Amino acid sequence: MISIRNIFKSLPSIDWFLLGTIVPIVLAGLFTMSSFSDTNFFFNRQLIWITISLIVFFFFSTIDFKFLRKTKIIFGIYVIIVGVLLLLFVLGATVKGAQGWFNFGAFSVQPSEFAKLALILLLAKYFSRRHIEIKNFRHILVSGIYAGILFVLVALQPDFGSAIIIFSIWFGMVLVSGISKKHLLVVFTLATLVVGLLWNFVFYEYQKQRIMTFIHPLQDIRGVGYNAYQSTITVGSGQILGKGLGYGTQSRLKFLPEYQTDFIFAAYAEEWGFIGVVILFGLYMLVLWRILKTAMNGATNFEILFGVGISIMFVAHLLVHIGMNVGIMPVTGITIPFMSYGGSHLLVTFMALGILQSMRRYSSSVHKDSMKNEFLGV
């Protein structure tokens, strides 16, 4: 029975260094949101989501998640997520052209964020069970099918940003799992050949142009590349020391769109400049280091792979978000962890960290039989 008393008992086992490093990142996001709006609408709603996410983080840290090592439970979570993603095509609300949200009036939920966590759990279990025979070629295909189903369902919404993150999670966990790199090279060689054939013999010129504009948005700065172009101007205008909190002209004058979500890094860089960006990167690297440190101390391969999977998701979000803010990657609507406005990603991130903290807390109580079960498929 989980109670307030149990939460207080778990406090000494919390990685307070990790939490303390996240706090200034969260505050940076809140200050950036409040700089360009007189109503503080985004600030107030984000504050509510932060509170809920922290409660979930501490709550999850009290639960012994050893039951997640059971294949039936992990696969059940995956099936539920697939079902929810399918349900989106019937009941989902359309936001910015993507039918990817369930609207509950006062708030909305984006299931693709939960799909990322479900995929990490599934792949962590799958690869930990097959540690000895991991170099078998079929494991690339089977794990690819699991990820591919989620990838397709999310891409069809269409939410290409989340689809990229799902692919990145699969690819990253495949690389660290010990799968034969030769087999992986064969898969990507075949994929490249298929894409080449489609490009040269199937796609029409207008389709090729759409793809190239998506990949290189700055080629069309008056059309689809306008947002990316304004974002690069905003980042550069911050120079070394920034313009100061609340003095970001590109954001305040509405040249920069979606400053609270898709382009919050650009808005932050304009106000805090190069020095502020370096500090922000330093904080993110510390968060990543603490996640990996906890993962490497995991009691079993499942805990280790789960922590590594969180790190991969974390890095993928950072690279894609920052890349599209500086104009070197397509604009896909990907959030930056802990800063961007939005409850679903924030909630899932803290859920994942809460599970990791629980694994850290209960790792010393793992029985040797749990290690054997990884190889027996239990």
Side-chain angles (χ1 to χ4, degrees), residues 44-278:
N44 294 334
R45 288 180 67 91
Q46 185 73 349
L47 202 58
I48 294 172
W49 277 114
I50 290 169
T51 303
I52 294 172
S53 298
L54 284 173
I55 291 172
V56 169
F57 169 79
F58 286 113
F59 176 74
F60 272 43
S61 67
T62 66
I63 302 173
D64 188 350
F65 280 99
K66 286 198 288 289
F67 65 86
L68 287 178
R69 297 193 190 101
K70 296 180 180 179
T71 303
K72 291 181 179 179
I73 292 178
I74 291 290
F75 192 72
I77 294 173
Y78 175 81
V79 170
I80 291 172
I81 290 296
V82 169
V84 171
L85 290 175
L86 288 170
L87 196 61
L88 274 173
F89 295 106
V90 180
L91 302 177
T94 301
V95 180
K96 299 177 187 177
Q99 193 174 1
W101 282 261
F102 286 121
N103 193 343
F104 296 101
F107 64 95
S108 300
V109 176
Q110 189 176 13
S112 60
E113 296 295 337
F114 296 87
K116 299 168 189 175
L117 181 56
L119 181 63
I120 293 172
L121 286 167
L122 182 68
L123 293 181
K125 178 60 180 177
Y126 183 83
F127 290 136
S128 67
R129 282 182 56 189
R130 291 157 179 82
H131 183 70
I132 296 177
E133 54 173 18
I134 197 63
K135 292 187 180 295
N136 195 309
F137 182 74
R138 69 184 178 90
H139 296 313
I140 296 179
L141 297 178
V142 174
S143 63
I145 290 172
Y146 287 141
I149 292 172
L150 296 179
F151 178 91
V152 170
L153 290 175
V154 171
L156 287 176
Q157 293 177 4
D159 182 358
F160 297 116
S162 293
I164 290 172
I165 301 300
I166 287 171
F167 171 79
S168 300
I169 291 170
W170 171 78
F171 183 61
M173 294 189 72
V174 162
L175 288 180
V176 301
S177 67
I179 280 179
S180 172
K181 304 304 182 289
K182 292 181 180 179
H183 292 160
L184 194 60
L185 181 61
V186 170
V187 172
F188 277 93
T189 301
L190 291 173
T192 303
L193 289 173
V194 171
V195 171
L197 291 172
L198 290 172
W199 185 267
N200 289 293
F201 302 106
V202 178
F203 291 157
Y204 294 103
E205 281 302 318
Y206 78 92
Q207 292 174 318
K208 294 180 182 180
Q209 187 60 41
R210 285 181 181 177
I211 293 172
M212 292 306 298
T213 302
F214 174 72
I215 296 174
H216 301 291
L218 293 182
Q219 290 182 349
D220 183 19
I221 61 174
R222 297 191 178 206
V224 296
Y226 175 81
N227 291 351
Y229 178 64
Q230 291 297 333
S231 179
T232 56
I233 292 176
T234 303
V235 172
S237 67
Q239 299 186 24
I240 301 298
L241 298 176
K243 297 178 179 177
L245 187 63
Y247 291 94
T249 53
Q250 289 294 119
S251 304
R252 181 170 286 279
L253 297 177
K254 309 299 182 183
F255 289 108
L256 181 69
E258 305 296 337
Y259 63 84
Q260 76 282 1
T261 52
D262 300 353
F263 297 103
I264 195 168
F265 173 78
Y268 170 86
E270 183 183 24
E271 292 190 332
W272 296 91
F274 177 76
I275 300 299
V277 169
V278 170

Side-chain angles (χ1 to χ4, degrees), residues 217 228 231-232 263 265 316-331:
S231 179
T232 56
F263 297 103
F265 173 78
H317 268 270
L318 280 174
L319 293 179
V320 174
H321 181 91
I322 294 172
M324 72 181 192
N325 273 241
V326 298
I328 61 175
M329 293 191 73
V331 177

